[in-house]
Amino acid sequence: MSEKDIYILGIESSCDETAASVVKNGREVLSNIISTQILVHRKFGGVVPEIASRKHIEHIMPVIDEALKQANVELAAIDAIAVTYGPGLVGALLVGVSAAKALAFANDKPLIGVNHLEGHVFANFLAGEDLKPPFLSLVVSGGHTSLLVVEDYNTFKSLGQTRDDAAGEAFDKIARYMGLQYPGGPEIEKLALQGNKKAIEFPRPMLPGSNDFSFSGLKSAVINYIHGLEQKGEEVPKADVAASFQAAIIDVLVKKSQLVLQATGLKNIVLAGGVSANKALQDALASGAAEVGARLIHPTPILCTDNAVMIAVRGYYMYKNNEFSDYTLNANPSLQIGNR
Ligand code: KG4
Ligand code: ZN
């Protein structure tokens, strides 16, 4: 007899996307609804937490309804409700967590609190059909940069992380300094296509002997370079700055990933978090991994940035492992990876 199909409703509201999704058996995406607030926050140059919370409240129920409708699944047929409870903005997280708790209670469904970063990592199970732990994950989002070993479906070991700015944060800050719009990562990537990545030699902070990252020195070097030209009244070659800055960050991410792949002997590396949408990073890491006998897997573009499919997928594996939350589940803005 075949096993019963498992339907997970995923809910995500950690930053500026309100999202819901239904995923069958951890593999089949039945719906992926994302209501983004990017245009609302763009006017302010970044996410305004108060506004984000208010927009989540407006959108959460319609987004969940739409996810169920598109999946053609009744709430009664859902096996569990998985929701992001951290890390992220506390007021934003609380909206998803409260909605999930209310739906779980009213419909007598199991509740699963999901770590957003683990969700990003698990988006890769939809990209690499044959992907199985153990593998390495390079997590590069707006708030986090880390190298993580996924030892099995429920055990993660962090080998190194950023000591200051996250990769996405560095992209966003440099973009903002250059007068580009929010979010900065995709804008830098676009501008870099028109520039020469060898034009300016920015530092590549390697922190020898450690798997940690540090991007604040690189960020300062870029800002000082731009400032220096402005003071002399010279024109800033923006496309070259974008290309050279992006190349410096990518070099560090690739080199450090290669070192860890060699040290651990792992044969697969996955990209996770918003910066994984960067095509130049995907290409450089794919070649870098191949150089040391490993393979890169990354999510499709829509699953690189925040979404609820990844939360449902992570929720599926927690469901299989009997990891449920009770109604005391609360938002945890500084939740660490591997802590649940
Ligand atoms: O994972 P995510 O959507 O939200 C967080 O969990 O933080 O990541 C957002 C980050 C932002 O810093 C954004 O600028 C960056 O991902 N990002 C990119 C690209 N797309 C998004 N960075 C570089 N290149 C991109 N194409
Ligand atoms: Zn994210």
Side-chain angles (χ1 to χ4, degrees), residues 89-110:
L89 301 167
V90 66
L93 288 163
L94 272 172
V95 177
V97 169
S98 309
K101 284 205 277 194
L103 284 175
F105 180 73
N107 296 277
D108 198 19
K109 298 291 178 192

Side-chain angles (χ1 to χ4, degrees), residues 14-15 17 116-117 120 140-144 167-169 171-172 182-186 189 246 273-279 304-306:
S14 65
C15 190
E17 262 91 32
H116 178 83
L117 298 168
H120 273 301
V140 274
S141 74
H144 292 80
E169 192 179 356
F171 269 99
D172 292 341
Y182 173 84
E189 180 175 24
Q246 180 176 273
V275 184
S276 64
N278 188 288
K279 186 78 176 50
C304 283
T305 44
D306 289 349

Side-chain angles (χ1 to χ4, degrees), residues 15-16 37-49 51 89 142 168-188:
C15 190
D16 58 349
Q37 307 171 6
I38 283 182
L39 294 179
V40 179
H41 298 289
R42 187 166 277 170
K43 297 195 273 292
F44 306 99
V47 178
V48 183
I51 298 177
L89 301 167
E169 192 179 356
F171 269 99
D172 292 341
K173 285 179 177 167
I174 295 299
R176 193 169 176 167
Y177 195 77
M178 289 169 70
L180 303 174
Q181 64 186 1
Y182 173 84
E187 295 302 311
I188 297 258

Side-chain angles (χ1 to χ4, degrees), residues 117 120-121 137-141 144-148 270 272-273 337:
L117 298 168
H120 273 301
V121 174
S137 178
L138 174 63
V139 181
V140 274
S141 74
H144 292 80
T145 301
S146 61
L147 277 162
L148 183 82
V270 308
I337 204 147

Side-chain angles (χ1 to χ4, degrees), residues 27 40 53 58 70 85 99 121 150 190 258 266:
R27 293 271 172 190
V40 179
S53 310
E58 280 171 30
Q70 275 199 16
Y85 76 106
V121 174
V150 177
K190 243 186 280 165
Q258 282 182 314
L266 291 165

Side-chain angles (χ1 to χ4, degrees), residues 18 39 48 167 221 228 242 322 328:
T18 320
L39 294 179
V48 183
N322 283 313
T328 61

